[in-house]
Amino acid sequence: VSNGPYIMSTTANGNDSKKFKGDIRGPGVPSRVIHIRKLPNDITETEVISLGLPFGDVTNLLMLKAKNQAFLEMNSEEAAQNMVGYYSTVMPIIRHHPVYVQFSNHKELKTDNSPNQERAQAALRALSTSHVDTTVAAPSSVLRVVVENLVYPVSLDALCQIFSKFGTVLRIIVFTKNSQFQALLQYPDGASAQAAKLSLDGQNIYNGCCTLRISFSKLTSLNVKYNNEKSRDFTRPDLPSGDSQPTMEHPAMATAFTPGIISASPYAGATHAFPPAFTIQPAKRCLLLFGCERPLVAEISVSKCAVCNHSNRSASVYGDVMRVKILFNKKENALVQMSDSTQAQLAMSHLSGQQLHGKSLRITLSKHTSVQLPREGHEDQGLTKDYSNSPLHRFKKPGSKNYSNIFPPSATLHLSNIPPSVVEDDLKMLFSSSGATVKAFKFFQKDHKMALIQMGSVEEAIESLIEFHNHDLGENHHLRVSFSKSSI
């Protein structure tokens, strides 16, 4: 099939590599074949195959080194969908270069016997399922994790997000020893622990910092007494939270891990761990593309004010929003520029897939590196807003305590900066005024400037945060609203 400068058929053939110009960017129809672009010039076959291994077996590979592209064929369409879905939220980095992953229009790969393809086939054989020696038992199912160069805070939940990619995390304890942040983490079996250690040891959680150093623990099991931010036993949701600790909202734990840096459960059919070529780090861009997923029939339109306001306030929980731009021809979409790439990653990890006014938020990294303000004298109908000098930024101060209070969206909201004259009924009435359901409310026992309020659902909590964060309560007090890790 010839279409413009692209030469393609339903089968990609290695013989066409010289004239092949790549896939036409289609609507992303699922296929077992994955198209990978913007690869480094000196990329190896092993590095390309490594991108697909965490999601299932790679059955074929076509390298187009002259075009910095490659095609991977996965063993199933489900594995390919998991791969594309994952890399749509976490951009893969190879040798400090972001690479781009999408479905190919080809349904299968047929390769020739050229020297290039012989190398590719040799790499496939070397990295097949059998290369993982499962007969060698791991010393323990418990790992000791040390986080070095701790520039950004790392929470228990963040570690669970990362390590859950390799198996079910049963128990975890975090602590500080010798001025180092450490954790003990237990899997149900040694194979999961071994896969996590091989793949994550030496990797950075964030770009250039928070380096994981992993070893097997001498312990064979962990004894967890409390479920709180320092320890958790996922097999015992009935455990108390401990003295002076807020109760943990265990039913929300499932949503606490998705969508995250790494999803909560391993993908079906995945038999490999992430190889050293894969780096767990946010992309270097700090720009997000906010949008509402549209159903096949109905077209969703969102007013300009709604998109701008929603994008700013929802993202501001995870970082300081600098600028927001609503797209002229797609007004249900907006570009949101965060202060740095870590904040962009946090916003994308926690908010993508969440429901807002009955629609699903879709957040991806934008190809743009910044939002451009309209030139002086040029109006853009109010589509661009500059928040760089906003007094409401939560993370302006280096080492702000707000970094340690970042949690996934939950039905329970944390309220602060409440003036003495405002009572429980006032706040209940305020939060129910938008039509939401208030299920429970509780002031902090020792500090009535703070409270917890539980909404009817996570979606209602997100909408309430957008509506009432910075609400003027009088007496020069503006309400501060954030997501809570606790329930009432």
Side-chain angles (χ1 to χ4, degrees):
V1 179
S2 178
N3 190 338
Y6 300 90
I7 299 172
M8 35 189 317
S9 65
T10 55
T11 300
N13 193 311
N15 291 319
D16 292 334
S17 60
K18 290 184 180 179
K19 61 184 178 180
F20 188 84
K21 304 229 175 181
D23 272 344
I24 299 172
R25 295 299 298 273
V29 177
S31 163
R32 286 197 303 133
V33 181
I34 305 296
H35 183 201
I36 304 169
R37 302 179 293 115
K38 303 282 187 180
L39 291 167
N41 291 329
D42 53 351
I43 189 74
T44 66
E45 287 81 2
T46 300
E47 287 173 306
V48 176
I49 296 168
S50 295
L51 289 171
L53 287 181
F55 308 94
D57 284 328
V58 178
T59 52
N60 210 345
L61 169 66
L62 174 62
M63 298 288 290
L64 302 177
K65 290 190 176 183
K67 302 182 184 302
N68 301 98
Q69 299 181 24
F71 289 82
L72 274 185
E73 182 184 272
M74 303 301 292
N75 63 328
S76 69
E77 193 172 289
E78 182 185 9
Q81 285 180 306
N82 285 333
M83 178 177 172
V84 172
Y86 178 74
Y87 289 135
S88 69
T89 58
V90 179
M91 181 172 286
I93 309 290
I94 296 181
R95 304 190 192 183
H96 307 292
H97 289 278
V99 299
Y100 298 84
V101 176
Q102 66 189 71
F103 288 118
S104 169
N105 290 333
H106 307 301
K107 297 302 180 186
E108 62 177 330
L109 292 180
K110 286 187 178 178
T111 52
D112 56 22
N113 295 321
S114 67
N116 285 342
Q117 290 311 314
E118 286 181 2
R119 282 200 304 272
Q121 296 305 311
L124 279 172
R125 289 190 294 272
L127 290 173
S128 63
T129 306
S130 60
H131 91 284
V132 179
D133 190 354
T134 55
T135 61
V136 179
S140 172
S141 61
V142 179
L143 294 176
R144 175 175 172 262
V145 181
V146 177
V147 183
E148 296 179 350
N149 192 18
L150 192 69
V151 175
Y152 294 103
V154 175
S155 66
L156 178 148
D157 286 334
L159 290 176
C160 284
Q161 286 179 348
I162 295 167
F163 282 84
S164 291
K165 175 63 194 175
F166 304 94
T168 303
V169 175
L170 299 182
R171 300 171 187 89
I172 183 171
I173 301 169
V174 296
F175 55 94
T176 300
K177 183 178 180 181
N178 300 327
S179 300
Q180 285 185 316
F181 180 80
Q182 302 187 29
L184 290 170
L185 183 143
Q186 183 181 351
Y187 284 108
D189 54 72
S192 298
Q194 191 171 43
K197 181 181 181 299
L198 286 171
S199 304
L200 296 176
D201 189 27
Q203 301 283 10
N204 296 329
I205 297 176
Y206 298 117
N207 197 8
C209 65
C210 301
T211 306
L212 295 170
R213 301 297 179 195
I214 304 171
S215 58
F216 288 106
S217 171
K218 294 179 181 178
L219 299 173
T220 56
S221 182
L222 297 180
N223 182 22
V224 175
K225 296 181 179 179
Y226 303 111
N227 282 334
N228 53 42
E229 72 273 11
K230 298 293 184 185
S231 62
R232 207 163 288 166
D233 186 335
F234 295 105
T235 68
R236 292 284 311 278
D238 57 312
L239 288 178
S241 59
D243 294 336
S244 74
Q245 296 288 352
T247 306
M248 184 185 73
E249 185 180 11
H250 190 79
M253 286 311 303
T255 60
F257 299 146
T258 53
I261 296 174
I262 294 181
S263 63
S265 56
Y267 292 112
T271 52
H272 307 273
F274 283 118
F278 184 88
T279 307
I280 300 173
Q281 61 184 27
K284 295 179 181 178
R285 293 194 182 95
C286 57
L287 205 63
L288 301 173
L289 175 61
F290 267 66
C292 289
E293 290 183 4
R294 289 187 284 182
L296 292 176
V297 179
E299 179 176 345
I300 298 168
S301 59
V302 185
S303 71
K304 291 186 293 185
C305 278
V307 174
C308 218
N309 186 47
H310 291 182
S311 300
N312 175 32
R313 293 201 178 180
S314 57
S316 69
V317 179
Y318 302 108
D320 293 334
V321 175
M322 297 289 106
R323 294 173 182 172
V324 178
K325 182 182 184 67
I326 300 167
L327 304 189
F328 181 78
N329 293 323
K330 298 176 71 177
K331 291 190 171 61
E332 70 276 14
N333 291 339
L335 294 171
V336 179
Q337 182 179 339
M338 306 296 288
S339 179
D340 62 43
S341 60
T342 300
Q343 294 177 3
Q345 184 71 41
L346 285 168
M348 184 171 66
S349 298
H350 288 303
L351 292 175
S352 193
Q354 295 292 340
Q355 295 293 307
L356 183 61
H357 300 305
K359 305 168 185 67
S360 183
L361 276 176
R362 182 175 58 85
I363 306 174
T364 59
L365 291 165
S366 169
K367 64 181 180 180
H368 303 287
T369 55
S370 64
V371 168
Q372 297 297 318
L373 294 175
R375 287 178 292 174
E376 193 172 343
H378 289 72
E379 294 295 327
D380 72 343
Q381 303 175 14
L383 296 177
T384 307
K385 298 278 188 181
D386 187 358
Y387 297 100
S388 55
N389 294 318
S390 171
L392 304 178
H393 287 168
R394 305 179 191 224
F395 306 95
K396 274 192 298 189
K397 297 178 182 177
S400 168
K401 65 179 181 180
N402 289 328
Y403 275 110
S404 59
N405 293 319
I406 293 175
F407 303 109
S410 66
T412 305
L413 296 171
H414 180 275
L415 312 181
S416 61
N417 204 34
I418 303 169
S421 61
V422 173
V423 298
E424 178 177 334
D425 286 343
D426 295 329
L427 291 166
K428 280 184 174 179
M429 190 177 301
L430 175 67
F431 277 78
S432 59
S433 64
S434 61
T437 302
V438 176
K439 295 182 72 173
F441 181 94
K442 183 176 74 173
F443 273 113
F444 278 52
Q445 189 171 359
K446 296 180 180 179
D447 188 356
H448 271 229
K449 293 178 182 177
M450 296 190 290
L452 296 178
I453 188 166
Q454 187 172 338
M455 310 306 295
S457 66
V458 174
E459 183 178 1
E460 284 191 350
I462 294 173
E463 292 168 3
S464 297
L465 183 147
I466 291 169
E467 183 75 22
F468 300 117
H469 177 64
N470 199 43
H471 182 82
D472 189 353
L473 294 176
E475 302 176 42
N476 202 27
H477 283 68
H478 287 78
L479 185 64
R480 299 286 181 264
V481 185
S482 57
F483 296 115
S484 172
K485 68 174 183 294
S486 310
S487 62
I488 301 175

